[in-house]
Amino acid sequence: MHGTELVRVDATGLDLPAAFAHARATGGAALRALSYAQRAALLQQVVAVLQSHRADYEAISVANSGTVKSDTAIDVDGAIYTLATYAKLGATLGDSLGGARVLRDGEPARLAKDALFQAQHLQVPTRGLALFINAFNFPAWGLWEKAAPALLSGVPVVVKPATATAWLTQRMVKDVVDAGVLPAGALSIVCGSSAGLLDALEPFDVLSFTGSAETAAVLRRHDAVAVRSVRVNIEADSLNSALLLPGEAPDGAAVELLVKEVAREMTVKSGQKCTAIRRVLVPEALYGPVAEALSARLARTTVGDPRHETVRMGALVSRAQLAAVREGLGLLRTQTELLHDGASHALVGADPAVACCVGPTLLGTREPDAAARVHDTEVFGPVATLVAYRDLPHALALAERGQGSLVASVYGSDPAALGAAAATLAASHGRVHVVSPDVAASHTGHGNVMPQSLHGGPGRAGGGEELGGLRALNFYHRRAAVQASTAVLDALG
Amino acid sequence: MHGTELVRVDATGLDLPAAFAHARATGGAALRALSYAQRAALLQQVVAVLQSHRADYEAISVANSGTVKSDTAIDVDGAIYTLATYAKLGATLGDSLGGARVLRDGEPARLAKDALFQAQHLQVPTRGLALFINAFNFPAWGLWEKAAPALLSGVPVVVKPATATAWLTQRMVKDVVDAGVLPAGALSIVCGSSAGLLDALEPFDVLSFTGSAETAAVLRRHDAVAVRSVRVNIEADSLNSALLLPGEAPDGAAVELLVKEVAREMTVKSGQKCTAIRRVLVPEALYGPVAEALSARLARTTVGDPRHETVRMGALVSRAQLAAVREGLGLLRTQTELLHDGASHALVGADPAVACCVGPTLLGTREPDAAARVHDTEVFGPVATLVAYRDLPHALALAERGQGSLVASVYGSDPAALGAAAATLAASHGRVHVVSPDVAASHTGHGNVMPQSLHGGPGRAGGGEELGGLRALNFYHRRAAVQASTAVLDALG
């Protein structure tokens, strides 16, 4: 934001194999010795530690990420809410398990005519560690949304945050380690270079990555994954859509909800959310009215220093990101028209030569079939493209041209049409968020990732699955079938 | 077996992208238009087609694979049983769905204080095709154990069988296609080179591979997987164990069951099963007695031409496999003693200079910690190593030195000890098969893959999951969360 140096990170000289061995042997064994209920209680203690330091985290976030306080809340309070949700889910699970250390997966299935011999599937915590290589945009939530299900599963965590915002992640880990609420070795952090991290992974470890598709491909080709079968979860690029169904009036409630949500998604965290809306699909007849309403709303967004009271949208995270956004905008501009120009926003309390600020920019195209870049260039900033579609099949096909996305939101007032569109979009999106007038006040937002719902998407989005309530535990467990007599199945623990 | 040419395969000149597009657009759409119950009925029709040609398949199998009729049954009848099982599972599923085309995954979860807005997870058939690249040892079962859940899920299949035994796979596909029971494009086969197959894969396709860890790594590094996030299932090398628990008498029932099962697993399909027992872990005190009993049993195995009435074990599939087995044996011999020599078996009705026959060979070591090759060299033939362990933790650690295996079997008479060992082994094995005297007559065998149970294993075994009843459908579906009002969730179809 101000170009001043805040903190330095350095990972040179670390003995990663020894650190990983400590995490597996000491941290993993201690966690696995606990029941699910006991591990859930640990998560609740982590919540208390983080809450007690919240003011520090907000200060670090505003200084380092350059975003406004409400954006910090999404990251920090989102992290605490997710942890608390898993503490609660884990407590309920623990109640049903009565101290068991393995999860039974389904009922026993008969294998022989004689019912004495059956198959019982189990989910057993993996004996390795969980390595998280995280993105810069959620230094708090990005750690805890992964660590909560990992720790609840009994799997120790090593996090490697993106260097640009590693400060907040490091502080949180340090506070939790200093508080002594987790067993030794259960939570570790590596700041700085990622060199050597994957070399130290072993077959029972798991790897979760959030970031670019390019880096994801490098990780997937590493021996750890390609040869040693380390289980990997990827969350990468995504060209998310907002889709206004056909048949809505230009001044109707659905259009109003769409405009409000798109403007919010473009500006929250300055558009630096992998779930943000990048493409806005509307019927051709509504292209003009929506362009006008959206541009008017965006024009009211004050941009600048997040510490300034009137500012609603802060900065991008770095000059490098600013350059990347400008480059992406240039690419999109070759195939779109400019509907609202971010450059028209005067910065409040920020020097354009130093600050990484950019105003919200709305592009548009009436010929989306020819505008390939709109469907494959993710500009990671406050930028979206309005797209005119002919009919519903055309709209659904355009959404699918994202080649797999994290989330699509659908706007309309007919439950049957919304349900049918959602079921179709579900094949190519990890999450479908449906906004109808009856949930105008209660829906949780296109881009907000709720711990109850799956987070991830097929294809370009990386093919991963995070969260989704207790479904998140699958990634940290190994499934096995035990074929045995009834007496042995009763003794599985 | 006789060195005569049986058939030729050739894949040159195929337009794979066009064929794949046909499978996705024509086959996929036709399958997805059907309900789960309707697709289950198709599987039952495939069963009828295959049953009507069973005699042909047996003749091809004996001629091409060189194994005895009971080995053919494992492949051919195993395929038909697996298909019939999925037809039955699908019919039951269809009954519960009442014609629905998407699967609801769990109950709706509340997202807001207001219960009107909830998340419902769905499983939706993927919009791509399923490509199977299969191993030579199960030309029938290898196709159908994968195709059954794929077709039931509404996903079209392309199979690329291993060239050495492609004949049987090709005949089965041709018979089913000729019978016209499946929609056009639902089932295709490519025989010969695999060149270009992966290049033609798109983000919503899935890839299932059974074969060597080396080839698996090549597939995982391909752009289809690394860049386009094609979902991949790998079943690769595995150093499976049989474990006799401590405390059993040398002349007791558990030892007898172990000896019988190990001898069977070593000789069925001439040891060419990825689930076959490679390591036999017994307490030090029982090393001698087990070596003696097992050697005596193996000595009675007649080896030679599978068409000869007295022959119990036929040939390996090819001279190349024979050479690979001899090479692997040579490696193992450097760290083991020879307990029973396969070379002592005179071949019945087979010329050693032409036939690919090898007798069952038992090796042994009393110092398994130093015998690294025993834990990482998979000899794909009738070869196993007897291993002496000090105590149960030592035995469990030795089993885990396989770095992730498909199956371990456990032998003993104490249900509590068997249950505890099974739960521990479940973390590093896809399946644990427990043999106690009460299931002596009803257990389904260490190496037999039952459709009700998961097939796959972590780490070296590839990290895949096949079968496991309806769990197999997960691989062919995309999971998504739909966040919406109750009225919309009711309309998801």
Side-chain angles (χ1 to χ4, degrees):
Chain A
M1 187 67 220
H2 299 290
T4 47
E5 180 176 302
L6 299 167
V7 72
R8 286 184 183 216
V9 296
D10 188 0
T12 50
L14 294 178
D15 182 352
L16 292 174
F20 281 22
H22 173 69
R24 284 183 207 106
T26 307
L31 287 170
R32 287 199 306 275
L34 303 174
S35 69
Y36 289 84
Q38 289 169 319
R39 295 193 293 257
L42 292 188
L43 295 187
Q44 195 55 51
Q45 292 181 51
V46 173
V47 166
V49 172
L50 297 181
Q51 276 170 334
S52 72
H53 295 281
R54 196 193 174 286
D56 294 345
Y57 304 151
E58 183 171 280
I60 293 173
S61 175
V62 170
N64 192 177
S65 292
T67 49
V68 296
K69 283 190 178 183
S70 57
D71 291 348
T72 291
I74 294 175
D75 186 30
V76 174
D77 296 338
I80 293 172
Y81 173 69
T82 300
L83 267 166
T85 300
Y86 277 94
K88 204 183 296 179
L89 286 169
T92 306
L93 175 66
D95 284 347
S96 73
L97 290 173
R101 263 74 169 172
V102 297
L103 301 177
R104 288 184 184 238
D105 175 26
E107 296 298 309
R110 276 173 72 153
L111 291 169
K113 299 255 147 82
D114 181 354
L116 185 62
F117 192 73
Q118 297 185 98
Q120 169 69 56
H121 286 78
L122 297 180
Q123 290 269 30
V124 183
T126 191
R127 299 279 173 76
L129 59 79
L131 173 64
F132 305 149
I133 301 183
N134 279 356
F136 72 81
N137 56 336
F138 283 102
W141 177 82
L143 163 61
W144 295 111
E145 64 106 6
K146 295 176 180 175
L151 294 171
L152 180 56
S153 298
V155 176
V157 166
V158 177
V159 60
K160 192 338 231 158
T163 299
T165 57
W167 186 12
L168 178 54
T169 316
Q170 192 275 340
R171 255 305 291 279
M172 288 178 140
V173 170
K174 182 175 187 310
D175 289 340
V176 171
V177 170
D178 288 351
V181 296
L182 294 177
L187 179 63
S188 311
I189 184 166
V190 178
C191 295
S193 165
S194 61
L197 281 172
L198 267 73
D199 298 327
L201 288 180
E202 296 183 354
F204 300 114
D205 296 334
V206 301
L207 168 65
S208 187
F209 170 72
T210 303
S212 74
E214 268 183 359
T215 306
V218 172
L219 299 182
R220 280 192 172 125
R221 290 193 175 107
H222 191 280
D223 274 3
V225 178
V227 175
R228 299 198 290 279
S229 296
V230 164
R231 188 184 278 174
V232 62
N233 190 87
I234 303 277
E235 198 250 273
D237 305 353
S238 180
L239 279 295
N240 313 296
S241 309
L243 166 59
L244 177 68
L245 288 190
E248 300 295 332
D251 56 353
V255 171
E256 192 186 327
L257 288 164
L258 171 85
V259 168
K260 187 177 163 191
E261 193 64 10
V262 172
R264 196 164 72 96
E265 281 297 310
M266 288 176 66
T267 54
V268 165
K269 286 181 74 70
S270 309
Q272 297 168 111
K273 294 210 322 278
C274 40
T275 55
I277 296 168
R278 308 296 178 195
R279 301 178 294 157
V280 186
L281 312 174
V282 299
E284 283 173 344
L286 294 188
Y287 180 85
V290 169
E292 200 173 320
L294 202 40
S295 297
R297 200 171 179 105
L298 292 172
R300 298 204 299 269
T301 306
T302 46
V303 183
D305 186 334
R307 294 186 182 87
H308 204 284
E309 207 167 280
T310 64
V311 166
R312 291 290 159 268
M313 189 170 92
L316 298 170
V317 73
S318 65
R319 296 294 289 187
Q321 279 299 312
L322 181 64
V325 166
R326 283 179 176 156
E327 187 190 339
L329 255 177
L331 288 172
L332 290 180
R333 283 294 306 277
T334 62
Q335 300 186 336
T336 59
E337 60 176 326
L338 184 63
L339 297 174
H340 175 79
D341 188 357
S344 66
H345 291 251
L347 302 191
V348 178
D351 175 0
V354 176
C356 322
C357 291
V358 58
T361 298
L362 183 67
L363 307 172
T365 174
R366 290 173 181 274
E367 293 180 10
D369 295 328
R373 290 208 187 282
V374 170
H375 309 292
D376 65 18
T377 302
E378 184 189 20
V379 179
F380 211 67
V383 178
T385 304
L386 186 65
V387 169
Y389 69 78
R390 290 187 303 276
D391 50 26
L392 184 60
H394 187 214
L396 295 169
L398 289 170
E400 203 169 302
R401 279 191 65 180
Q403 296 281 301
S405 308
L406 294 172
V407 52
S409 50
V410 193
Y411 304 79
S413 49
D414 174 7
L418 289 166
T424 302
L425 290 167
S428 51
H429 293 76
R431 182 163 60 87
V432 183
H433 182 80
V434 182
V435 181
S436 47
D438 52 338
V439 295
S442 62
H443 83 90
T444 49
H446 166 109
N448 287 334
V449 176
M450 304 295 288
Q452 297 86 347
S453 296
L454 181 83
H455 175 55
R460 188 200 303 270
E465 292 193 355
E466 298 169 22
L467 299 172
L470 290 175
R471 290 171 189 83
L473 273 59
N474 292 344
F475 184 66
Y476 304 99
H477 285 70
R478 297 285 173 185
R479 185 181 270 138
V482 177
Q483 301 178 163
S485 74
T486 309
V488 173
L489 294 183
D490 286 345
L492 287 174
Chain B
M1 186 67 220
H2 298 290
T4 48
E5 179 176 301
L6 300 167
V7 74
R8 288 185 182 213
V9 297
D10 188 0
T12 51
L14 294 178
D15 182 351
L16 292 174
F20 281 22
H22 173 69
R24 285 183 207 106
T26 307
L31 287 170
R32 287 198 307 274
L34 303 174
S35 68
Y36 288 84
Q38 289 169 320
R39 295 193 294 257
L42 292 187
L43 295 187
Q44 195 53 52
Q45 291 180 51
V46 173
V47 166
V49 172
L50 298 181
Q51 276 171 333
S52 71
H53 295 282
R54 196 194 173 286
D56 294 347
Y57 303 153
E58 184 171 282
I60 293 173
S61 175
V62 171
N64 193 175
S65 293
T67 49
V68 295
K69 284 191 179 183
S70 58
D71 290 348
T72 291
I74 294 175
D75 187 29
V76 174
D77 297 337
I80 293 172
Y81 172 70
T82 301
L83 267 165
T85 301
Y86 276 95
K88 202 181 297 178
L89 287 170
T92 306
L93 176 66
D95 284 347
S96 73
L97 290 173
R101 260 102 174 138
V102 297
L103 300 177
R104 288 183 184 238
D105 175 26
E107 297 297 310
R110 277 173 71 155
L111 291 169
K113 300 253 145 82
D114 182 353
L116 184 63
F117 192 74
Q118 297 186 98
Q120 170 68 57
H121 286 79
L122 297 180
Q123 289 270 32
V124 184
T126 191
R127 299 279 174 74
L129 59 79
L131 173 65
F132 305 150
I133 301 182
N134 278 356
F136 72 82
N137 56 336
F138 283 101
W141 177 83
L143 165 59
W144 296 110
E145 61 108 6
K146 294 177 181 176
L151 294 170
L152 180 57
S153 299
V155 176
V157 166
V158 178
V159 61
K160 188 346 226 151
T163 299
T165 58
W167 186 12
L168 177 55
T169 317
Q170 192 275 340
R171 257 302 292 279
M172 288 180 140
V173 170
K174 183 176 187 309
D175 289 340
V176 171
V177 169
D178 287 351
V181 297
L182 294 176
L187 180 63
S188 309
I189 184 166
V190 178
C191 295
S193 165
S194 61
L197 281 171
L198 266 72
D199 299 326
L201 289 180
E202 297 182 353
F204 300 114
D205 296 333
V206 301
L207 168 66
S208 188
F209 170 73
T210 303
S212 73
E214 267 183 359
T215 307
V218 172
L219 299 181
R220 280 192 172 126
R221 291 194 175 106
H222 191 281
D223 273 2
V225 178
V227 175
R228 300 199 287 282
S229 296
V230 165
R231 188 185 279 174
V232 62
N233 191 86
I234 304 278
E235 199 248 274
D237 306 353
S238 182
L239 277 295
N240 313 296
S241 310
L243 164 60
L244 177 67
L245 288 190
E248 300 294 332
D251 57 351
V255 170
E256 191 186 329
L257 287 165
L258 171 86
V259 168
K260 186 177 164 192
E261 192 65 11
V262 172
R264 196 164 71 95
E265 281 297 310
M266 286 178 68
T267 54
V268 166
K269 287 180 76 68
S270 309
Q272 298 168 111
K273 295 210 321 279
C274 41
T275 54
I277 296 169
R278 307 297 177 196
R279 301 179 292 158
V280 187
L281 312 174
V282 300
E284 281 172 346
L286 295 188
Y287 180 85
V290 170
E292 199 174 322
L294 201 41
S295 297
R297 200 172 179 105
L298 292 171
R300 297 204 300 270
T301 307
T302 47
V303 183
D305 187 334
R307 293 183 183 88
H308 205 285
E309 208 165 280
T310 63
V311 166
R312 291 291 159 266
M313 188 171 92
L316 297 171
V317 72
S318 65
R319 297 293 289 187
Q321 279 299 313
L322 182 63
V325 166
R326 285 178 175 158
E327 188 191 339
L329 254 176
L331 288 174
L332 290 181
R333 283 293 306 277
T334 62
Q335 301 188 333
T336 59
E337 60 176 325
L338 183 63
L339 297 175
H340 176 79
D341 187 357
S344 66
H345 292 250
L347 301 191
V348 178
D351 177 359
V354 176
C356 322
C357 291
V358 58
T361 299
L362 183 67
L363 307 172
T365 175
R366 291 175 181 272
E367 291 179 13
D369 295 328
R373 290 209 186 281
V374 170
H375 309 292
D376 66 18
T377 303
E378 184 188 20
V379 179
F380 211 66
V383 179
T385 304
L386 186 65
V387 170
Y389 68 78
R390 289 188 303 276
D391 50 26
L392 185 59
H394 187 216
L396 295 170
L398 288 170
E400 202 168 303
R401 278 192 68 179
Q403 296 281 300
S405 307
L406 294 172
V407 52
S409 49
V410 192
Y411 305 79
S413 49
D414 173 8
L418 289 165
T424 301
L425 290 166
S428 51
H429 294 77
R431 182 162 60 84
V432 182
H433 182 81
V434 182
V435 181
S436 46
D438 53 337
V439 296
S442 61
H443 85 89
T444 51
H446 166 107
N448 286 335
V449 176
M450 303 296 287
Q452 297 86 347
S453 296
L454 182 83
H455 176 53
R460 188 200 302 271
E465 291 193 355
E466 297 170 23
L467 300 171
L470 290 175
R471 291 172 189 82
L473 274 59
N474 291 345
F475 184 65
Y476 303 99
H477 285 70
R478 297 285 175 186
R479 184 181 271 137
V482 177
Q483 301 178 163
S485 74
T486 309
V488 173
L489 293 183
D490 287 344
L492 287 174

